[in-house]
Amino acid sequence: MSQANGYTAAHSRLQRVLHKLPLKRINWGRQLVISMPFVWLAVFFFVPFLVVFKISLSETAIAIPPYTALIELEDALLNIKLNLGNYLFLWEDSFYLEAYLSSIRIAGVSTLLALIIGFPMAYLIARSESRTRTILLALVILPFWTSFLLRVYAWVGLLKKNGLVNDILINLGIVSEPIQMLQTDFAVYIGIVYTYLPFMILPLYTALEKMDMSLLEAAEDLGCRPFQSFFLVTIPLAMPGILAGCTLVFIPAVGEYVIPALLGGSDTLMIGRVLWDEFSLNRDWPMASAVATVMLVVLVLPIMLLRNRKEAE
Amino acid sequence: MLKLSALMASVCALTAASSVLAADNKELNIYNWSDYIYPEAVSEFEQKTGIKVNYDVYDSNEVLEAKLMTGSSGYDLVIPTGAFLERQIQAGIYTTIDSSKLSNYGNLDSTLLEKVARHDANNAHSVPWAWGTIGLGYNVEMIKARLGDMPADTLDLIFDPKISAKLQDCGIGILDSPAEVMSIALNYAGLDPNSESKSDLGKAEALMKANRDNYRYFHSSQYISDLANGEICVALGYNGDILQSQSRAEEAGQGVEVTYAIPKEGTLVWFDLMAIPADAPHKDAAYQFINFVLEPKTAAGISNYVYYAVPNTAAEPLLNEDVIGNPGIYPSAEVKAKLFTQQAHSAKFDRILNRAWSNVKTGR
């Protein structure tokens, strides 16, 4: 009997212990799905960024790869060499600051232009009948079917001295001599606005399409004139779309390389071009990496802060 | 990071292993300038040797160097320009050339080999492919309308502010190549074209800046089509490119006449050199291809097609009259004597040179 008693006692003790263990089943499938975007970001954004950051702390060398190692093991002596010279150089030479500011200016003006052009278009699409709406939306997306590079090259053909635009202007008698449009900032603005306009229209359209039309009627009932209700009702409701569109245009435009390289003049100073020159022309990988790191920090930090504040609201 | 580099190392080891396996196959990976060979050459070589050629092209030395410097490019034969090769040899990325494996080596022009040796001591790592000059391409009619009967074979066209101002409206294009253009500017100013002195550089920079407002753009290939259709009237560019532009203008039949002139002040001579990367998987095939290029028939075919000079004495009788007789491609001995090479600079000087160049370009 006593032996049996002892057995049950042990059994119940075991059960108690087992209960305390956190053996709740984990839903692995769910965890996997949730973690995918983070894994993606880590592999394709964070790790490459760390590599770039690491190179920015080294020095150029004539070797494979063309920069010095940060960590060296020499006679059981671990040497860690961090070179902050690239960042100091960035700071000391006003050239880079000017390039950053000029990029931000060009991107800012282009974003504003894209908003001014894109808003009426998005408004029209959102207010049109559902069948025409599908066609109009398809037309907005259609340019993506051709390579971005080809479309920029097409602008070279349009804007050059004996190109289509100058031909038309001369034939209409508006100008007598062809105007130099290519290789100017003007051409860069055209290129950026043209390329990124769909990125402005689509978020604007989504925001405007969701808008409840009865709100406008209510505003009118309360004595608002059409333009007042536009600024007091439509714009605030479209704000998330405006912010999303502006972000989608501004960020890639700041780092744009292809458009200023093909359409801009030699004096069009943009950071994407400076970065390319550092990397390929000057063959200075560490400096190019430092420029890239600073660009990322300068751009990403304010945007993340903006995001956080918006979410907090 | 440590784990990551271990992973990367193993990936590299894997690719290296696979290329060792591929070495048994009859294959050859060539990386050359675009439009730098006559179209049938590669298939002729394939038929002759049974080696399958993968032929990739680039359009700038920088692109080539970026690929080579990351390592394990997989290419067996590359054709960089002298000053670039000079640096790349310092990085130890090329194997030495055993000229006894090349039965046609004797066809090479020995005086040109001597000049190449300034980039590559004893021609140990390279075999020349072609050579040329940087000079002036211009639209004959437009220049005459603006400058009258003044001879156009002078760098005054782009370096004398009074003259370049007269050409500003019709457009001046300058090669976007800091080291090469600055050495031409230094030579024009009566200084050593390979000087690494800061004050000399400052003088060349000032010279460029005095003319900057009269330049339309800095670009390394755009002038080819722009000269041909009259978008610009003067370009400082590579001779073969300008001659190509000349024939394009003729084909278009719009009455645009383009001419190339080697400036009387002297200019830069460059060499494009074949070299075999040290990690090339098919070195023997690369040797066979080099030997094929050195054959008089192949060399003449290349020169007749691309309008660049080949350093191949045995090929000269096979050259077309409009090629060998063109002083823009094969200049006279007298003109040749005034040509200089541009040597590779130290990394430190490269940085201040490139900064000076950015300042010129952006007009700061």
Side-chain angles (χ1 to χ4, degrees), chain A residues 62-66 86 89 93 95-96 98 160-162 180 183 266-267 269 277-278 280-285 287, chain B residues 4 62 65 68-71 84 87 90-91 93 169 212 216-218 222 229 231 350-351 354-355 358 361-362 364:
Chain A
I62 298 180
I64 302 177
N86 297 317
F89 193 75
D93 194 333
F95 176 74
Y96 297 97
E98 273 175 45
K160 66 181 179 188
K161 219 168 179 186
N162 45 20
Q180 180 64 40
Q183 286 118 21
S266 309
D267 49 358
L269 192 57
D277 282 355
E278 289 291 351
S280 72
L281 221 54
N282 305 1
R283 293 162 286 183
D284 192 339
W285 291 26
M287 196 66 212
Chain B
L4 183 81
E62 287 81 10
E65 181 162 308
L68 291 175
M69 289 305 213
T70 37
F84 282 81
R87 273 171 51 98
Q90 289 172 39
I93 64 173
D169 70 306
R212 170 67 186 91
R216 175 81 49 83
Y217 58 70
F218 294 82
Q222 184 148 12
N229 55 34
E231 281 271 323
D350 257 338
R351 180 173 268 191
N354 287 316
R355 179 45 28 82
S358 303
K361 275 207 292 185
T362 53
R364 285 171 6 120

Short mmCIF file of all heavy atoms in Angstrom, two decimals, chain A residues 62-66 86 89 93 95-96 98 160-162 180 183 266-267 269 277-278 280-285 287, chain B residues 4 62 65 68-71 84 87 90-91 93 169 212 216-218 222 229 231 350-351 354-355 358 361-362 364:
data_model
loop_
_atom_site.label_atom_id
_atom_site.label_comp_id
_atom_site.label_asym_id
_atom_site.label_seq_id
_atom_site.Cartn_x
_atom_site.Cartn_y
_atom_site.Cartn_z
N ILE A 62 45.03 50.52 -52.97
CA ILE A 62 45.09 49.95 -54.32
C ILE A 62 45.20 48.45 -54.13
O ILE A 62 46.28 47.90 -53.97
CB ILE A 62 46.28 50.52 -55.10
CG1 ILE A 62 46.10 52.04 -55.25
CG2 ILE A 62 46.38 49.87 -56.47
CD1 ILE A 62 47.20 52.72 -55.99
N ALA A 63 44.07 47.79 -54.06
CA ALA A 63 44.05 46.35 -53.76
C ALA A 63 42.66 45.82 -54.06
O ALA A 63 41.78 46.56 -54.45
CB ALA A 63 44.38 46.12 -52.29
N ILE A 64 42.49 44.51 -53.89
CA ILE A 64 41.16 43.91 -53.95
C ILE A 64 40.78 43.52 -52.53
O ILE A 64 41.49 42.75 -51.93
CB ILE A 64 41.13 42.63 -54.80
CG1 ILE A 64 41.59 42.91 -56.22
CG2 ILE A 64 39.76 42.01 -54.80
CD1 ILE A 64 41.66 41.64 -57.07
N PRO A 65 39.69 43.96 -51.94
CA PRO A 65 38.86 45.09 -52.38
C PRO A 65 39.60 46.41 -52.18
O PRO A 65 40.56 46.44 -51.40
CB PRO A 65 37.65 44.99 -51.46
CG PRO A 65 38.18 44.34 -50.22
CD PRO A 65 39.25 43.39 -50.66
N PRO A 66 39.15 47.49 -52.85
CA PRO A 66 39.94 48.72 -52.83
C PRO A 66 39.82 49.55 -51.55
O PRO A 66 39.68 50.76 -51.59
CB PRO A 66 39.42 49.49 -54.04
CG PRO A 66 38.05 48.99 -54.23
CD PRO A 66 37.99 47.59 -53.73
N ASN A 86 36.89 60.22 -43.40
CA ASN A 86 35.93 60.46 -44.48
C ASN A 86 34.82 61.39 -44.03
O ASN A 86 34.38 62.25 -44.77
CB ASN A 86 35.35 59.14 -44.96
CG ASN A 86 36.42 58.26 -45.55
OD1 ASN A 86 37.26 58.73 -46.30
ND2 ASN A 86 36.40 56.99 -45.19
N PHE A 89 36.11 64.87 -43.62
CA PHE A 89 36.29 65.48 -44.93
C PHE A 89 34.95 65.97 -45.48
O PHE A 89 34.85 67.06 -46.03
CB PHE A 89 36.93 64.46 -45.88
CG PHE A 89 37.43 65.06 -47.15
CD1 PHE A 89 38.60 65.81 -47.17
CD2 PHE A 89 36.75 64.88 -48.35
CE1 PHE A 89 39.07 66.36 -48.34
CE2 PHE A 89 37.21 65.44 -49.53
CZ PHE A 89 38.38 66.18 -49.52
N ASP A 93 34.63 69.98 -46.28
CA ASP A 93 34.52 70.46 -47.64
C ASP A 93 33.08 70.86 -47.94
O ASP A 93 32.18 70.02 -47.94
CB ASP A 93 34.98 69.37 -48.61
CG ASP A 93 35.22 69.91 -50.00
OD1 ASP A 93 34.59 70.92 -50.35
OD2 ASP A 93 36.05 69.34 -50.72
N PHE A 95 31.62 71.41 -50.47
CA PHE A 95 31.09 70.82 -51.70
C PHE A 95 29.94 69.85 -51.41
O PHE A 95 28.90 69.88 -52.06
CB PHE A 95 32.23 70.10 -52.42
CG PHE A 95 31.82 69.37 -53.66
CD1 PHE A 95 31.52 70.07 -54.82
CD2 PHE A 95 31.73 67.99 -53.67
CE1 PHE A 95 31.15 69.39 -55.96
CE2 PHE A 95 31.36 67.31 -54.81
CZ PHE A 95 31.07 68.02 -55.96
N TYR A 96 30.14 69.00 -50.39
CA TYR A 96 29.14 67.97 -50.11
C TYR A 96 27.87 68.58 -49.54
O TYR A 96 26.77 68.20 -49.91
CB TYR A 96 29.70 66.92 -49.15
CG TYR A 96 30.86 66.18 -49.74
CD1 TYR A 96 32.17 66.55 -49.45
CD2 TYR A 96 30.65 65.13 -50.62
CE1 TYR A 96 33.23 65.88 -50.02
CE2 TYR A 96 31.71 64.46 -51.20
CZ TYR A 96 32.99 64.85 -50.89
OH TYR A 96 34.04 64.20 -51.47
N GLU A 98 26.76 71.53 -50.07
CA GLU A 98 26.05 72.17 -51.18
C GLU A 98 25.30 71.14 -52.01
O GLU A 98 24.18 71.38 -52.45
CB GLU A 98 27.05 72.91 -52.08
CG GLU A 98 27.34 74.31 -51.61
CD GLU A 98 28.42 74.96 -52.47
OE1 GLU A 98 28.36 74.84 -53.70
OE2 GLU A 98 29.33 75.57 -51.88
N LYS A 160 16.06 68.10 -76.94
CA LYS A 160 17.34 68.55 -77.51
C LYS A 160 17.13 69.69 -78.51
O LYS A 160 16.00 69.99 -78.91
CB LYS A 160 18.10 67.39 -78.12
CG LYS A 160 17.45 66.77 -79.33
CD LYS A 160 18.31 65.61 -79.83
CE LYS A 160 17.65 64.99 -81.03
NZ LYS A 160 18.31 63.75 -81.43
N LYS A 161 18.26 70.26 -78.93
CA LYS A 161 18.20 71.50 -79.68
C LYS A 161 17.41 71.37 -80.97
O LYS A 161 16.59 72.22 -81.30
CB LYS A 161 19.62 71.99 -79.99
CG LYS A 161 19.71 73.49 -79.87
CD LYS A 161 21.14 73.94 -79.88
CE LYS A 161 21.18 75.46 -79.79
NZ LYS A 161 22.54 75.95 -79.94
N ASN A 162 17.62 70.28 -81.73
CA ASN A 162 16.78 70.09 -82.90
C ASN A 162 15.75 68.99 -82.66
O ASN A 162 15.46 68.18 -83.51
CB ASN A 162 17.61 69.81 -84.16
CG ASN A 162 18.70 68.80 -83.89
OD1 ASN A 162 18.62 68.05 -82.91
ND2 ASN A 162 19.71 68.75 -84.72
N GLN A 180 18.01 76.25 -75.56
CA GLN A 180 18.79 75.21 -74.91
C GLN A 180 18.01 74.71 -73.69
O GLN A 180 17.96 75.37 -72.67
CB GLN A 180 20.15 75.77 -74.50
CG GLN A 180 21.05 74.77 -73.81
CD GLN A 180 21.43 73.63 -74.72
OE1 GLN A 180 21.70 73.81 -75.90
NE2 GLN A 180 21.45 72.42 -74.18
N GLN A 183 20.35 69.59 -70.67
CA GLN A 183 21.50 69.97 -69.86
C GLN A 183 21.26 71.25 -69.07
O GLN A 183 22.15 72.08 -68.89
CB GLN A 183 22.77 70.13 -70.72
CG GLN A 183 23.36 68.82 -71.18
CD GLN A 183 23.35 68.68 -72.66
OE1 GLN A 183 23.29 69.64 -73.41
NE2 GLN A 183 23.41 67.45 -73.14
N SER A 266 26.30 69.95 -66.54
CA SER A 266 27.40 69.59 -65.66
C SER A 266 27.31 70.32 -64.34
O SER A 266 27.91 69.91 -63.36
CB SER A 266 28.72 69.94 -66.33
OG SER A 266 28.75 69.41 -67.62
N ASP A 267 26.58 71.46 -64.32
CA ASP A 267 26.51 72.21 -63.07
C ASP A 267 25.29 71.83 -62.22
O ASP A 267 25.05 72.43 -61.19
CB ASP A 267 26.53 73.73 -63.35
CG ASP A 267 25.51 74.12 -64.40
OD1 ASP A 267 24.84 73.22 -64.93
OD2 ASP A 267 25.40 75.33 -64.70
N LEU A 269 24.08 70.00 -59.54
CA LEU A 269 24.77 69.33 -58.45
C LEU A 269 23.75 68.50 -57.67
O LEU A 269 22.85 69.05 -57.05
CB LEU A 269 25.40 70.40 -57.56
CG LEU A 269 26.40 69.95 -56.50
CD1 LEU A 269 27.54 69.19 -57.13
CD2 LEU A 269 26.91 71.15 -55.75
N ASP A 277 30.26 59.63 -58.73
CA ASP A 277 31.60 60.10 -59.07
C ASP A 277 32.63 59.61 -58.07
O ASP A 277 33.73 59.21 -58.43
CB ASP A 277 31.64 61.63 -59.13
CG ASP A 277 31.04 62.15 -60.43
OD1 ASP A 277 30.70 61.31 -61.29
OD2 ASP A 277 30.91 63.37 -60.58
N GLU A 278 32.26 59.67 -56.77
CA GLU A 278 33.21 59.20 -55.75
C GLU A 278 33.52 57.73 -55.96
O GLU A 278 34.66 57.29 -55.84
CB GLU A 278 32.62 59.37 -54.33
CG GLU A 278 32.51 60.79 -53.85
CD GLU A 278 33.86 61.43 -53.58
OE1 GLU A 278 34.88 60.72 -53.60
OE2 GLU A 278 33.89 62.65 -53.34
N SER A 280 32.99 55.67 -58.79
CA SER A 280 33.57 55.17 -60.03
C SER A 280 34.70 56.04 -60.55
O SER A 280 35.74 55.55 -60.93
CB SER A 280 32.49 55.03 -61.09
OG SER A 280 32.10 56.30 -61.52
N LEU A 281 34.48 57.36 -60.57
CA LEU A 281 35.49 58.24 -61.14
C LEU A 281 36.70 58.36 -60.20
O LEU A 281 37.83 58.21 -60.61
CB LEU A 281 34.87 59.62 -61.39
CG LEU A 281 35.24 60.33 -62.68
CD1 LEU A 281 34.98 59.46 -63.88
CD2 LEU A 281 34.49 61.63 -62.78
N ASN A 282 36.41 58.63 -58.92
CA ASN A 282 37.51 58.80 -57.96
C ASN A 282 37.96 57.46 -57.39
O ASN A 282 38.94 57.38 -56.69
CB ASN A 282 37.10 59.70 -56.81
CG ASN A 282 36.58 61.03 -57.27
OD1 ASN A 282 36.51 61.30 -58.46
ND2 ASN A 282 36.23 61.87 -56.32
N ARG A 283 37.18 56.43 -57.64
CA ARG A 283 37.47 55.08 -57.14
C ARG A 283 37.73 55.09 -55.64
O ARG A 283 38.63 54.44 -55.14
CB ARG A 283 38.66 54.50 -57.90
CG ARG A 283 38.31 54.27 -59.34
CD ARG A 283 39.51 54.11 -60.18
NE ARG A 283 40.20 55.37 -60.40
CZ ARG A 283 41.26 55.52 -61.15
NH1 ARG A 283 41.77 54.49 -61.74
NH2 ARG A 283 41.81 56.69 -61.32
N ASP A 284 36.95 55.91 -54.94
CA ASP A 284 37.13 56.07 -53.51
C ASP A 284 35.92 55.47 -52.81
O ASP A 284 34.97 56.16 -52.47
CB ASP A 284 37.28 57.57 -53.19
CG ASP A 284 37.77 57.80 -51.78
OD1 ASP A 284 37.63 56.89 -50.95
OD2 ASP A 284 38.30 58.90 -51.51
N TRP A 285 35.94 54.16 -52.60
CA TRP A 285 34.79 53.48 -52.01
C TRP A 285 34.47 53.98 -50.61
O TRP A 285 33.30 54.20 -50.28
CB TRP A 285 35.00 51.97 -52.00
CG TRP A 285 34.99 51.34 -53.36
CD1 TRP A 285 35.30 51.95 -54.55
CD2 TRP A 285 34.63 50.00 -53.69
NE1 TRP A 285 35.17 51.06 -55.58
CE2 TRP A 285 34.76 49.86 -55.10
CE3 TRP A 285 34.21 48.90 -52.94
CZ2 TRP A 285 34.49 48.66 -55.74
CZ3 TRP A 285 33.95 47.71 -53.60
CH2 TRP A 285 34.08 47.59 -54.98
N MET A 287 34.91 56.90 -49.26
CA MET A 287 34.27 58.22 -49.31
C MET A 287 32.83 58.08 -49.82
O MET A 287 31.90 58.69 -49.26
CB MET A 287 35.08 59.11 -50.26
CG MET A 287 34.78 60.57 -50.11
SD MET A 287 35.32 61.14 -48.50
CE MET A 287 34.10 62.38 -48.22
N LEU B 4 28.98 36.66 -41.13
CA LEU B 4 28.59 37.02 -42.49
C LEU B 4 29.76 36.86 -43.44
O LEU B 4 29.64 36.29 -44.51
CB LEU B 4 28.10 38.47 -42.51
CG LEU B 4 27.61 38.87 -43.88
CD1 LEU B 4 26.21 38.38 -44.08
CD2 LEU B 4 27.71 40.35 -44.06
N GLU B 62 36.23 52.98 -65.63
CA GLU B 62 35.79 52.94 -64.25
C GLU B 62 34.92 51.73 -63.98
O GLU B 62 35.05 51.07 -62.95
CB GLU B 62 35.04 54.22 -63.90
CG GLU B 62 35.91 55.46 -63.75
CD GLU B 62 36.28 56.10 -65.08
OE1 GLU B 62 35.71 55.70 -66.12
OE2 GLU B 62 37.14 57.00 -65.08
N GLU B 65 37.12 48.73 -63.85
CA GLU B 65 37.91 48.64 -62.62
C GLU B 65 37.05 48.25 -61.43
O GLU B 65 37.46 47.46 -60.58
CB GLU B 65 38.64 49.96 -62.34
CG GLU B 65 39.48 49.85 -61.07
CD GLU B 65 40.53 50.92 -60.94
OE1 GLU B 65 41.30 51.11 -61.90
OE2 GLU B 65 40.59 51.56 -59.89
N LEU B 68 36.72 44.57 -61.58
CA LEU B 68 37.95 43.84 -61.31
C LEU B 68 38.34 43.93 -59.85
O LEU B 68 38.83 42.97 -59.26
CB LEU B 68 39.09 44.38 -62.18
CG LEU B 68 38.99 44.11 -63.68
CD1 LEU B 68 40.11 44.81 -64.41
CD2 LEU B 68 39.04 42.61 -63.96
N MET B 69 38.11 45.11 -59.24
CA MET B 69 38.57 45.33 -57.87
C MET B 69 37.70 44.63 -56.83
O MET B 69 38.09 44.52 -55.68
CB MET B 69 38.64 46.83 -57.56
CG MET B 69 39.77 47.53 -58.29
SD MET B 69 41.37 46.77 -58.00
CE MET B 69 42.42 48.21 -58.05
N THR B 70 36.51 44.20 -57.21
CA THR B 70 35.72 43.43 -56.25
C THR B 70 36.20 41.98 -56.21
O THR B 70 35.85 41.24 -55.31
CB THR B 70 34.22 43.46 -56.59
OG1 THR B 70 34.08 43.42 -58.00
CG2 THR B 70 33.55 44.71 -56.06
N GLY B 71 37.01 41.59 -57.18
CA GLY B 71 37.58 40.24 -57.18
C GLY B 71 36.68 39.21 -57.82
O GLY B 71 35.48 39.41 -57.96
N PHE B 84 45.08 53.17 -66.17
CA PHE B 84 44.28 52.31 -65.30
C PHE B 84 45.00 50.99 -65.05
O PHE B 84 45.05 50.50 -63.93
CB PHE B 84 42.90 52.07 -65.92
CG PHE B 84 41.98 53.24 -65.75
CD1 PHE B 84 42.05 54.33 -66.60
CD2 PHE B 84 41.05 53.26 -64.72
CE1 PHE B 84 41.21 55.41 -66.44
CE2 PHE B 84 40.20 54.33 -64.55
CZ PHE B 84 40.29 55.42 -65.42
N ARG B 87 47.68 51.24 -62.37
CA ARG B 87 47.18 51.12 -61.00
C ARG B 87 46.81 49.69 -60.67
O ARG B 87 47.06 49.19 -59.57
CB ARG B 87 45.91 51.96 -60.83
CG ARG B 87 46.11 53.39 -60.47
CD ARG B 87 44.77 54.07 -60.56
NE ARG B 87 43.75 53.35 -59.80
CZ ARG B 87 43.38 53.68 -58.57
NH1 ARG B 87 43.91 54.70 -57.99
NH2 ARG B 87 42.47 52.98 -57.95
N GLN B 90 49.58 47.54 -59.79
CA GLN B 90 50.00 47.76 -58.39
C GLN B 90 49.14 46.96 -57.42
O GLN B 90 49.60 46.53 -56.38
CB GLN B 90 49.88 49.24 -58.02
CG GLN B 90 50.92 50.13 -58.67
CD GLN B 90 50.62 51.60 -58.42
OE1 GLN B 90 50.20 51.96 -57.33
NE2 GLN B 90 50.82 52.42 -59.42
N ALA B 91 47.86 46.79 -57.78
CA ALA B 91 46.98 46.02 -56.91
C ALA B 91 47.21 44.52 -57.08
O ALA B 91 46.61 43.72 -56.37
CB ALA B 91 45.52 46.36 -57.21
N ILE B 93 46.49 42.48 -59.65
CA ILE B 93 45.39 41.66 -60.13
C ILE B 93 45.67 40.98 -61.47
O ILE B 93 44.84 40.23 -61.95
CB ILE B 93 44.07 42.47 -60.24
CG1 ILE B 93 44.20 43.59 -61.27
CG2 ILE B 93 43.67 43.04 -58.90
CD1 ILE B 93 42.88 44.26 -61.51
N ASP B 169 27.91 79.69 -78.49
CA ASP B 169 26.54 79.53 -78.96
C ASP B 169 26.33 78.24 -79.75
O ASP B 169 25.25 77.67 -79.73
CB ASP B 169 26.13 80.73 -79.81
CG ASP B 169 26.86 80.75 -81.14
OD1 ASP B 169 28.11 80.70 -81.13
OD2 ASP B 169 26.18 80.79 -82.19
N ARG B 212 35.02 77.90 -68.64
CA ARG B 212 33.91 77.05 -68.23
C ARG B 212 32.56 77.49 -68.79
O ARG B 212 31.79 76.66 -69.28
CB ARG B 212 33.84 77.01 -66.68
CG ARG B 212 32.59 76.35 -66.12
CD ARG B 212 32.58 74.86 -66.45
NE ARG B 212 31.34 74.22 -66.06
CZ ARG B 212 30.28 74.08 -66.83
NH1 ARG B 212 30.29 74.58 -68.05
NH2 ARG B 212 29.20 73.45 -66.42
N ARG B 216 29.46 73.60 -73.17
CA ARG B 216 28.08 73.14 -73.04
C ARG B 216 27.98 72.03 -72.00
O ARG B 216 27.13 72.04 -71.12
CB ARG B 216 27.59 72.64 -74.40
CG ARG B 216 26.21 72.02 -74.44
CD ARG B 216 25.07 73.03 -74.49
NE ARG B 216 25.18 74.08 -75.45
CZ ARG B 216 24.84 73.99 -76.75
NH1 ARG B 216 24.41 72.86 -77.24
NH2 ARG B 216 24.96 75.02 -77.54
N TYR B 217 28.86 71.03 -72.09
CA TYR B 217 28.80 69.92 -71.13
C TYR B 217 30.11 69.15 -71.07
O TYR B 217 31.00 69.32 -71.90
CB TYR B 217 27.65 68.96 -71.46
CG TYR B 217 27.68 68.34 -72.84
CD1 TYR B 217 28.64 67.38 -73.18
CD2 TYR B 217 26.74 68.69 -73.80
CE1 TYR B 217 28.66 66.79 -74.43
CE2 TYR B 217 26.75 68.11 -75.06
CZ TYR B 217 27.72 67.17 -75.36
OH TYR B 217 27.74 66.60 -76.61
N PHE B 218 30.19 68.31 -70.04
CA PHE B 218 31.30 67.37 -69.89
C PHE B 218 30.70 65.97 -70.00
O PHE B 218 29.86 65.58 -69.19
CB PHE B 218 31.96 67.52 -68.53
CG PHE B 218 32.64 68.83 -68.34
CD1 PHE B 218 31.93 69.96 -67.96
CD2 PHE B 218 34.01 68.94 -68.53
CE1 PHE B 218 32.56 71.18 -67.79
CE2 PHE B 218 34.65 70.16 -68.37
CZ PHE B 218 33.93 71.28 -68.00
N GLN B 222 28.63 61.42 -75.40
CA GLN B 222 27.52 62.12 -76.02
C GLN B 222 27.91 62.89 -77.28
O GLN B 222 27.11 63.06 -78.20
CB GLN B 222 26.92 63.09 -74.99
CG GLN B 222 25.71 63.79 -75.52
CD GLN B 222 24.72 64.08 -74.42
OE1 GLN B 222 25.02 63.95 -73.24
NE2 GLN B 222 23.56 64.48 -74.81
N ASN B 229 25.06 65.44 -85.63
CA ASN B 229 23.84 66.13 -86.07
C ASN B 229 23.84 67.62 -85.75
O ASN B 229 22.78 68.26 -85.74
CB ASN B 229 22.57 65.43 -85.56
CG ASN B 229 22.59 65.26 -84.06
OD1 ASN B 229 23.12 66.10 -83.35
ND2 ASN B 229 22.02 64.17 -83.58
N GLU B 231 24.45 69.34 -83.02
CA GLU B 231 24.06 69.86 -81.71
C GLU B 231 25.20 70.66 -81.09
O GLU B 231 24.97 71.61 -80.35
CB GLU B 231 23.72 68.70 -80.77
CG GLU B 231 22.35 68.10 -80.98
CD GLU B 231 21.27 68.79 -80.16
OE1 GLU B 231 21.57 69.18 -79.02
OE2 GLU B 231 20.15 68.95 -80.67
N ASP B 350 44.97 61.96 -56.81
CA ASP B 350 43.71 61.68 -57.49
C ASP B 350 42.56 62.41 -56.81
O ASP B 350 41.67 62.94 -57.47
CB ASP B 350 43.42 60.18 -57.47
CG ASP B 350 43.72 59.55 -58.82
OD1 ASP B 350 43.73 60.29 -59.81
OD2 ASP B 350 43.96 58.33 -58.87
N ARG B 351 42.60 62.43 -55.48
CA ARG B 351 41.49 63.05 -54.76
C ARG B 351 41.46 64.56 -55.01
O ARG B 351 40.39 65.10 -55.32
CB ARG B 351 41.60 62.76 -53.26
CG ARG B 351 40.48 63.39 -52.49
CD ARG B 351 40.47 63.00 -51.05
NE ARG B 351 39.64 61.82 -50.84
CZ ARG B 351 39.29 61.39 -49.64
NH1 ARG B 351 39.71 61.99 -48.56
NH2 ARG B 351 38.52 60.33 -49.52
N ASN B 354 40.37 65.23 -58.58
CA ASN B 354 38.94 65.03 -58.82
C ASN B 354 38.10 66.14 -58.19
O ASN B 354 37.06 66.51 -58.72
CB ASN B 354 38.49 63.67 -58.31
CG ASN B 354 38.99 62.56 -59.20
OD1 ASN B 354 38.92 62.67 -60.42
ND2 ASN B 354 39.54 61.52 -58.63
N ARG B 355 38.59 66.65 -57.07
CA ARG B 355 37.87 67.76 -56.46
C ARG B 355 37.96 69.00 -57.36
O ARG B 355 36.97 69.69 -57.61
CB ARG B 355 38.45 68.05 -55.06
CG ARG B 355 37.83 69.21 -54.30
CD ARG B 355 36.31 69.26 -54.34
NE ARG B 355 35.68 67.98 -54.51
CZ ARG B 355 35.46 67.15 -53.52
NH1 ARG B 355 35.77 67.47 -52.31
NH2 ARG B 355 34.89 66.00 -53.74
N SER B 358 35.57 68.50 -60.15
CA SER B 358 34.17 68.77 -59.76
C SER B 358 33.91 70.27 -59.71
O SER B 358 32.86 70.74 -60.13
CB SER B 358 33.86 68.20 -58.37
OG SER B 358 34.12 66.84 -58.35
N LYS B 361 33.57 71.51 -63.22
CA LYS B 361 32.32 71.07 -63.84
C LYS B 361 31.11 71.81 -63.31
O LYS B 361 30.21 72.18 -64.06
CB LYS B 361 32.12 69.57 -63.59
CG LYS B 361 32.82 68.69 -64.58
CD LYS B 361 32.13 67.36 -64.74
CE LYS B 361 32.24 66.49 -63.50
NZ LYS B 361 31.67 65.15 -63.72
N THR B 362 31.07 71.99 -61.98
CA THR B 362 29.89 72.63 -61.41
C THR B 362 30.02 74.15 -61.42
O THR B 362 29.11 74.84 -60.98
CB THR B 362 29.66 72.15 -59.96
OG1 THR B 362 30.86 72.34 -59.24
CG2 THR B 362 29.28 70.69 -59.94
N ARG B 364 31.99 76.17 -59.67
CA ARG B 364 32.05 76.80 -58.35
C ARG B 364 33.27 77.69 -58.21
O ARG B 364 34.32 77.38 -58.70
CB ARG B 364 32.08 75.74 -57.26
CG ARG B 364 30.74 75.12 -57.07
CD ARG B 364 30.77 73.92 -56.16
NE ARG B 364 32.02 73.64 -55.52
CZ ARG B 364 32.21 73.62 -54.21
NH1 ARG B 364 31.21 73.85 -53.40
NH2 ARG B 364 33.38 73.33 -53.71
#
